[in-house]
Amino acid sequence: MNLSSPLLLATETVTDETYAKAVITALLLTAGMIFVLSTLLGELCSRLNLPTVLGDLTTGILLGGSLLGVFVLTDGSEGINTTLLRVIGWLTNAPPETVVNAYRFQMRDFFSNSASIGLLSLLFVTGIESDLKELIKVGSQAATVALTGVLLPLMGGTIALVYGFHVPIIPAIFAGAALTATSIGITAKVLQEMGKLQSKEGQIILGAAILDDILGIVILALALSLIETGSIELTAIIVLVVKAAAFILLAFILNRYFCPLFSSRIESFNNPAALMLFALAFLNLLALVAIGLGLEALLGAFAAGLVLGGTRQKERLLQLIQPFVFVYTTVFFVTIGASVNLDVLNPLDPKNWSGLVIAAGLIAIAITGKIAAGFTVFGNGAINGNGAINRLAVGTGMIPRGEVGLVFAGLGASTGALSDSLDAAIIIMVVITTVVAPLLLRWVFPSEPETSSSGAAKPI
Amino acid sequence: MNLSSPLLLATETVTDETYAKAVITALLLTAGMIFVLSTLLGELCSRLNLPTVLGDLTTGILLGGSLLGVFVLTDGSEGINTTLLRVIGWLTNAPPETVVNAYRFQMRDFFSNSASIGLLSLLFVTGIESDLKELIKVGSQAATVALTGVLLPLMGGTIALVYGFHVPIIPAIFAGAALTATSIGITAKVLQEMGKLQSKEGQIILGAAILDDILGIVILALALSLIETGSIELTAIIVLVVKAAAFILLAFILNRYFCPLFSSRIESFNNPAALMLFALAFLNLLALVAIGLGLEALLGAFAAGLVLGGTRQKERLLQLIQPFVFVYTTVFFVTIGASVNLDVLNPLDPKNWSGLVIAAGLIAIAITGKIAAGFTVFGNGAINGNGAINRLAVGTGMIPRGEVGLVFAGLGASTGALSDSLDAAIIIMVVITTVVAPLLLRWVFPSEPETSSSGAAKPI
């Protein structure tokens, strides 16, 4: 650096520095607001016995372009909160255009990349927590419920959208696929509070939900591939299904044979960062293999989780990934909320009516599809000596769509596959199913005093 | 979405999707290589009793533009490993220019932002671990060593560079400031292995190193402000010093009065993410205040750590931040390694000689400055009944520069304040001081059999 030309210095170095400062300021300010608001709203949800993910979603809707304009993901500078831009300019002494460029970089580039990291972290953790051994125990009843609970809403949703609402076939399949997932978190919590987690119904719900995760993520990967190729040739779909099945099978095999090797190798490291970094490198590797096979990176992340869930370091790994989930998955769900175009939800505007009717239709299919799946449970559950199985309770427990449903909505919006109104309809469906399921479940599955599981004698 | 125009779909959606896929593929591939290589080289360092940060640095040098070309931070496409680009293209079916754009985005934008996050995480953790209560106990002897150990290398380095090597004043001050830091990790480990961590010398070294961190980070913030304003007016420097001192004082006050409130409020949250997200929001807030005061974001992150180190959740917070440090601080140090221009180190090229002589000069000042500081310890340490203090050992223990020295090198390179050769000279200085200190320390501070601290009787 040559100080003999202070003017050159002022235009060159200072501007770069000012831009860098505006970039970090935009990040600190927007991320800080996201963290505070999502924690407070998540806490509110938690006290209302709702999943905290709804708090993240609401944070995104509040901060997004439709309302406060703090977290504006679309191109252009309209809709950005001018006070926010002025604060960044005031803190950094940067000129307005530098501020807008720095803000745009954080929103469009950095946060979208961070949201991808959030999605991969979420699916990695989902994979780690999907205990394959437990799954095999729960067996065929859960498998029946899971399969019908995936197929009925998928087919019902797609057919209704194509023939009832004249939605093109690919977005219709994508929206139908969004109806397949089951979010187990909320149901598990309600069942636990009711003391029914160990009941036959509870066990079937849990097993079916784990299977639903696997099926849902495979279907998501397939649906995204459909969007990318833009065709729905039957042979192409069959090839994809075979590849995805082979990929998940590979994960099952690695879970069995690779985990002991990984566990013992990793224990020989002094470096405390080794477990974290190797696990992430393994995630990256399987995600790259998935991409190379024409599948999705998220399927690789999920498979990596399925594999490493079998290691002795499973619990430590979950601890290490947890902070990433706290931060990045929050960013991911906030991003989904921020992408909601609230205008399409205004019921006073006649051009929104068809979208709102679609949302109502999706909700009806989402609820009836899972309840119908509950009635496919065979036998009467007398194994446990608890009398007939409450099939209605099994179906009701599968209703909440939660995170995985939102993943569909988020990726549907970011790939441009879904129209604004169809995207909003999916999000409404996810929110409604997630909120009503606990209420319905308490109603159809009344707590008996001292209900006992595992065959212990009842007190009257 | 309108499917009636498949061609439009193919050019619009598919290209966006392909770019998005190339972006995530470039991230997965480069990050995966960084994680694997840095873990292996870190393990090697750990077994050689060297700090793992040297493994990260070497990873950056190996993967950087001078050698493998996997992690190329400069603009333009020359120097990028063509095999890497071909693999990304092969995995994603993306055309070459899309691949280069995606790679460039990850390198120039995403990794540099991630490196900033790594730096903020590192300083946040450094702040949390700087136990203010312990510091007050160690008292005036440590303070004397710390102050002289900062001032001697700073002044010696600046004067030598300006008058001996005709370096302009601002880069000279910046390089001089890079000589001030003490990395305690490596010395603490060596002292522990020698059973001397609790000795009088060990306690003075630890206390002085904590103070050195605070002084070094304040000096770094001041040096960066000098670069930004491009002037070295005395009044401006005094204003900055006063602001920085007031800011650190604020952290001390908040540590005392705000922490109990934070601790009890945070305990009332059900939301498990609350602690992490509020702590990060607090970090962001103090970083924004620092920026608003014309100081640096990193000073805010450090101050936030100093404050939250006083909460009851200190240990849990360190656990939660640890995975971020594992990942992002690795990225930060790898970035520093990758920014090293190896060409300037070739001793066969006569135009590198002045740079190499500067490096040798910096190393000499770095070592003698800290050793001289050791001799400022007053008294003879007879308080513990251990006889005279080994002042040479105190100074030697302060020699390794480690992380904080590298932070100077990294920020010096990214702001363009340092020439390639001065930047390389700082990195060589950090590596040499960090590697030789443990060897020197074992030599000047011989292990006596059964050396005992805290006044217990010696066995002979």
Side-chain angles (χ1 to χ4, degrees), chain A residues 53-326:
Chain A
V53 68
L54 291 181
D56 298 341
L57 200 61
T58 317
T59 301
I61 293 173
L62 286 175
L63 295 181
S66 297
L67 293 173
L68 291 176
V70 166
F71 199 76
V72 182
L73 298 162
T74 48
D75 278 336
S77 64
E78 72 276 14
I80 307 176
N81 190 309
T82 50
T83 309
L84 178 80
L85 294 180
R86 235 176 287 138
V87 169
I88 298 172
W90 174 71
L91 285 170
T92 58
N93 288 322
E97 63 271 33
T98 307
V99 169
V100 171
N101 286 341
Y103 177 84
R104 278 271 143 253
F105 162 68
Q106 289 299 354
M107 288 300 124
R108 205 179 37 201
D109 299 328
F110 188 73
F111 274 114
S112 77
N113 223 18
S114 300
S116 302
I117 294 176
L119 176 61
L120 295 182
S121 310
L122 178 69
L123 290 173
F124 187 50
V125 168
T126 309
I128 294 177
E129 287 177 340
S130 301
D131 193 323
L132 296 181
K133 292 193 194 85
E134 281 300 311
L135 198 61
I136 291 163
K137 272 194 232 157
V138 190
S140 51
Q141 291 206 326
T144 317
V145 175
L147 264 175
T148 43
V150 162
L151 290 178
L152 287 180
L154 172 62
M155 295 195 304
T158 307
I159 291 169
L161 287 171
V162 171
Y163 293 99
F165 301 103
H166 309 292
V167 172
I169 179 78
I170 288 185
I173 292 176
F174 199 86
L179 299 177
T180 60
T182 294
S183 164
I184 193 55
I186 185 75
T187 302
K189 204 169 156 197
V190 173
L191 287 173
Q192 195 176 34
E193 284 166 9
M194 291 161 58
K196 303 234 183 187
L197 201 55
Q198 300 301 322
S199 67
K200 185 78 183 165
E201 290 85 353
Q203 290 297 301
I204 293 176
I205 292 173
L206 288 183
I210 297 173
L211 263 179
D212 251 19
D213 266 347
I214 301 178
L215 292 173
I217 290 164
V218 171
I219 288 172
L220 175 63
L222 297 177
L224 285 172
S225 305
L226 281 188
I227 292 174
E228 276 166 47
T229 57
S231 84
I232 47 163
E233 278 177 56
L234 192 64
T235 49
I237 294 177
I238 291 174
V239 169
L240 274 178
V241 170
V242 169
K243 279 182 184 173
F247 197 70
I248 294 295
L249 189 69
L250 173 77
F252 278 68
I253 292 169
L254 286 176
N255 176 280
R256 189 111 184 215
Y257 298 102
F258 168 71
C259 282
L261 184 73
F262 181 91
S263 290
S264 61
R265 280 272 172 274
I266 210 79
E267 278 165 9
S268 70
F269 272 77
N270 295 332
N271 188 344
L275 174 62
M276 176 85 183
L277 295 180
F278 273 146
L280 292 183
F282 184 67
L283 185 166
N284 288 17
L285 178 67
L286 288 203
L288 288 168
V289 171
I291 290 173
L293 286 172
L295 300 164
E296 294 295 313
L298 58 88
L299 198 63
F302 180 66
L306 284 180
V307 174
L308 296 182
T311 61
R312 285 196 291 277
Q313 289 78 20
K314 174 182 173 179
E315 293 305 321
R316 173 79 185 127
L317 208 48
L318 282 174
Q319 270 175 16
L320 286 167
I321 304 293
Q322 196 185 37
F324 276 82
V325 172
F326 286 161

Side-chain angles (χ1 to χ4, degrees), chain B residues 2 26 58 71 74 108 131 143 171 184 204 220 238 242 271 295 311 314-315 318 323 342 348-349 368 382 398 404 414:
Chain B
N2 183 356
T58 316
F71 199 74
T74 48
R108 206 180 36 204
D131 193 321
I184 194 53
I204 293 176
L220 175 62
I238 291 173
V242 170
N271 187 344
L295 300 165
T311 61
K314 175 183 173 179
E315 292 305 320
L318 282 173
L342 280 189
L348 299 179
D349 187 339
T368 53
M398 309 281 289
V404 185
S414 73

